Amino acid sequence: MNTFFPGRWIGGVALILGPVVMCAGYLLRHLSTVTALTPQQHAWAEAQPFAAYGQLLAYTSEPALLTLSYAVFALGAILLFPAFAALAQRVGGGLACWGATLLVAGLFARLYFAGADQTAFQLTEVMGLEQATNAIMKEYVDISYGPWRIPVWASVGQYAGSLLLAIAAWRSGVLGTARSLMVLLAGGTWMGVLKGASVPDVLVTGLLCVALVPLGVQVWRGRPSAPAGRSKVLSW
């Protein structure tokens, strides 16, 4: 298994750290917004049509905390790239390859969104909150969709890819029904620019940790996957 990308060591570590770091990113994005905004500001942000208003306001209150949360989130997306590749390698077959490829396309979209997030935050430093918010929201759709709408189309890969990879993992017996469903659920989290994270986002990504971390330990140690009992609907 160590002959092909990402190999045993990188793949195993990525399967362990990728979902954990991504879950930490969701948790920090949620907690940083709650910490930065007063109850009145939070109520105002909830009444706005886009989460971007609240995220920009939160950044001006706690720039270091918001930067940390967005940085950890971006790092999680990077680590999930070799993690999904390792899972597809473990599963084998065309369905798994298509699923992992689409998921990685979704991760590339997340990194584009991360760049847009950072640019928006820096604009508040230069222009001030009000002017920066007005300028960003005026062009929000074009910023979010990206050039030729490539990032937004790439983001669709997350939803389709998680479905294909979950089915392939279940059919191969690498993951049972429960953990395959966890991979599928984690693929339903939001995508976009200046999005706020919620407790359900943290919980769903936590399920991805439950699904992939044990497999990562197996890959890292070079052990074959235990049969998941794919003929049984109730299987781990």
Side-chain angles (χ1 to χ4, degrees), residues 166-167 169-171 173-185 211 227-236:
I167 292 173
W170 178 79
R171 289 179 60 188
V174 171
L175 299 179
T177 303
R179 289 198 290 166
S180 296
L181 287 175
M182 291 175 188
V183 172
L184 178 60
L185 288 173
R230 70 171 186 262
S231 60
K232 298 179 181 179
V233 175
L234 298 177
S235 60
W236 175 247

Side-chain angles (χ1 to χ4, degrees), residues 17-18 23 28 62-63 66 98 101 126 138 140 155 193-194 197 209 225 235:
L17 292 183
C23 184
L28 285 171
E62 294 285 351
L66 265 290
W98 274 106
T101 299
V126 177
K138 182 179 179 181
Y140 183 76
S155 69
V193 175
L194 295 172
C209 299
S225 300
S235 60

Side-chain angles (χ1 to χ4, degrees), residues 25-34 37 45-46 48-56 58 66 69-70 73 109-110 113-114 116-118 120-121 136-137 140-141 143-145 152 155 158-159 189-198 201:
Y26 274 107
L27 179 60
L28 285 171
R29 284 180 76 151
H30 172 66
L31 293 179
S32 62
T33 303
V34 172
L37 299 180
E46 287 291 320
Q48 303 308 308
F50 296 101
Y53 291 95
Q55 294 297 293
L56 292 171
L66 265 290
S69 65
Y70 276 72
F73 187 85
R110 284 198 184 278
F113 298 143
D117 294 335
Q118 179 67 6
F121 288 148
I136 292 165
M137 299 316 300
Y140 183 76
V141 173
I143 293 172
S144 298
Y145 285 4
V152 75
S155 69
Q158 174 183 285
Y159 309 108
T189 52
W190 48 260
M191 302 275 280
V193 175
L194 295 172
K195 300 291 187 180
S198 64
D201 296 322

Side-chain angles (χ1 to χ4, degrees), residues 122-170:
Q122 293 307 304
L123 283 177
T124 66
E125 302 273 5
V126 177
M127 303 172 62
L129 176 62
E130 183 176 356
Q131 287 189 341
T133 300
N134 290 337
I136 292 165
M137 299 316 300
K138 182 179 179 181
E139 302 295 333
Y140 183 76
V141 173
D142 288 336
I143 293 172
S144 298
Y145 285 4
W148 289 4
R149 301 178 182 254
I150 292 174
V152 75
W153 280 112
S155 69
V156 178
Q158 174 183 285
Y159 309 108
S162 62
L163 175 61
L164 295 180
L165 190 54
I167 292 173
W170 178 79

Side-chain angles (χ1 to χ4, degrees), residues 35-113:
T35 302
L37 299 180
T38 66
Q40 293 78 15
Q41 290 173 329
H42 185 73
W44 173 83
E46 287 291 320
Q48 303 308 308
F50 296 101
Y53 291 95
Q55 294 297 293
L56 292 171
L57 178 59
Y59 177 81
T60 59
S61 299
E62 294 285 351
L65 187 56
L66 265 290
T67 300
L68 171 65
S69 65
Y70 276 72
V72 173
F73 187 85
L75 178 59
I78 293 172
L79 290 172
L80 282 176
F81 170 25
F84 289 139
L87 176 56
Q89 185 185 77
R90 193 78 165 186
V91 172
L95 194 63
C97 289
W98 274 106
T101 299
L102 291 172
L103 274 170
V104 169
L107 294 175
F108 288 166
R110 284 198 184 278
L111 291 180
Y112 167 83
F113 298 143

